Amino acid sequence: MENSKVLVWDVPTRIFHWLLALSFAGAFLTAELERYRDVHVMLGYTVLGLVAFRLLWGLIGTRYARFWSFAYGPSSVLRYIKSLFTRAPQHHVGHNPAGSWAIYALLVLSLLAGASGYAAYNDIGGHWMEDAHEAMANTLLAVVFVHIAGALVSSLLHRENLLRSMITGYKSGKAGSGIRHRHRLIGAALVAAVAAFWIAGPDSLPTSWNPLVHASATKEPSSGRSHD
Ligand code: HEM
Ligand code: HEM
């Protein structure tokens, strides 16, 4: 019986998720405003840093955060989707097969959006790269909508609030199938790393990554002396 409350998502996975959602939303909202380009770039780097953390955590994290625990082939995805139309939809304690594909797509597209943003910013690839960056970001947005819709449908079909699970970490499952460690310290370290990055600001970055250096280079293209 799957009627116990078990801990499924460790603290770092939950923190990663909500910081990623916030950074992505922020990057999207600031994308078109020249004035906020430095904020946009910082948010984009935050997305890249968070995904890099998640890739590592997918290898060494707790049971349901590990990639092998939600590495499903196309036939599993089809079987899962078919089961949704029956009276006994498959229930997965971790990510379900359909959701897992959306998750891999979100991670890869976040990396591509960030990398193409960096390239466009450094005038690598010219207009083509700017278009590619915008296309990546828009594709990511489309998959985010599918992801949110999927989480909603899945919550309704299983009568289980998945959004709340991503906050509390608990889902229903067989007693004993949960994870044992929350890894609060690693979660705190992730928050601290993101906070330190924002407090240190753009000047903590190498020159080609630094939005302030870019801004002054565009404003004073021929200036050889600093005015301060
Ligand atoms: C308000 C908006 C959002 C909601 C309500 C939401 C909800 C959820 C839920 C419920 C899960 C767990 C799914 C499951 O139980 O299998 C999840 C996982 C995930 N979501 Fe979202 N999400 C949102 C926004 C985003 C955004 C904007 C991104 C990426 C840009 C994103 C990326 C992910 C990823 C990568 C996972 C996998 C978590 C992991 O194992 O690390 N989500 N989301
Ligand atoms: C991963 C998260 C990111 C998202 C969702 C995102 C989204 C976008 C979008 C939608 C645009 C198009 C704005 C328009 O309509 O003109 C844009 C433009 C831009 N982004 Fe990003 N971006 C991200 C990361 C980055 C990063 C990491 C950088 C730089 C290091 C960056 C630099 C730029 C620049 C320079 C432009 C203007 C390109 C042009 O002149 O057309 N972005 N971004």
Side-chain angles (χ1 to χ4, degrees):
M1 284 297 289
E2 296 205 330
N3 51 10
S4 305
K5 283 273 155 221
V6 293
L7 184 64
V8 175
W9 309 124
D10 54 50
V11 173
T13 300
R14 286 179 267 154
I15 287 180
F16 155 78
H17 181 264
W18 295 113
L19 286 181
L20 179 69
L22 277 179
S23 313
F24 166 76
F28 219 94
L29 292 173
T30 52
E32 288 191 29
L33 304 165
E34 195 70 42
R35 222 151 49 93
Y36 291 120
R37 180 62 29 95
D38 48 348
V39 180
H40 175 76
V41 169
M42 288 289 285
L43 287 163
Y45 291 153
T46 310
V47 167
L48 282 176
L50 287 167
V51 174
F53 166 79
R54 186 63 183 91
L55 293 182
L56 181 69
W57 198 239
L59 302 177
I60 62 166
T62 56
R63 181 168 169 190
Y64 300 103
R66 288 199 191 196
F67 294 132
W68 60 255
S69 78
F70 56 99
Y72 295 104
S75 57
S76 310
V77 176
L78 277 178
R79 245 179 290 132
Y80 173 75
I81 293 175
K82 276 189 198 153
S83 89
L84 297 182
F85 297 98
T86 67
R87 272 204 233 162
Q90 278 178 29
H91 181 259
H92 292 258
V93 181
H95 294 305
N96 69 57
S100 74
W101 278 34
I103 291 165
Y104 286 118
L106 290 167
L107 294 176
V108 170
L109 285 166
S110 297
L111 282 182
L112 291 175
S116 57
Y118 172 80
Y121 205 40
N122 285 289
D123 295 323
I124 303 165
H127 280 304
W128 182 86
M129 192 58 78
E130 288 172 8
D131 292 346
H133 178 53
E134 198 172 343
M136 288 303 158
N138 288 332
T139 313
L140 176 56
L141 180 68
V143 181
V144 164
F145 282 135
V146 172
H147 162 65
I148 295 173
L152 208 77
V153 167
S154 193
S155 297
L156 291 173
L157 284 174
H158 295 296
R159 294 196 177 75
E160 178 170 39
N161 187 338
L162 294 178
L163 191 152
R164 192 173 58 204
S165 303
M166 246 310 147
I167 297 169
T168 63
Y170 284 91
K171 284 182 76 175
S172 57
K174 282 196 196 86
S177 63
I179 56 172
R180 279 189 203 92
H181 300 289
R182 283 186 167 71
H183 291 289
R184 284 196 187 93
L185 266 182
I186 295 177
L190 182 60
V191 173
V194 173
F197 175 56
W198 280 84
I199 291 166
D203 283 333
S204 63
L205 293 161
T207 312
S208 72
W209 292 67
N210 186 331
L212 298 182
V213 173
H214 276 263
S216 60
T218 13
K219 268 185 212 134
E220 300 170 77
S222 56
S223 142
R225 298 184 58 185
S226 96
H227 302 285
D228 49 15

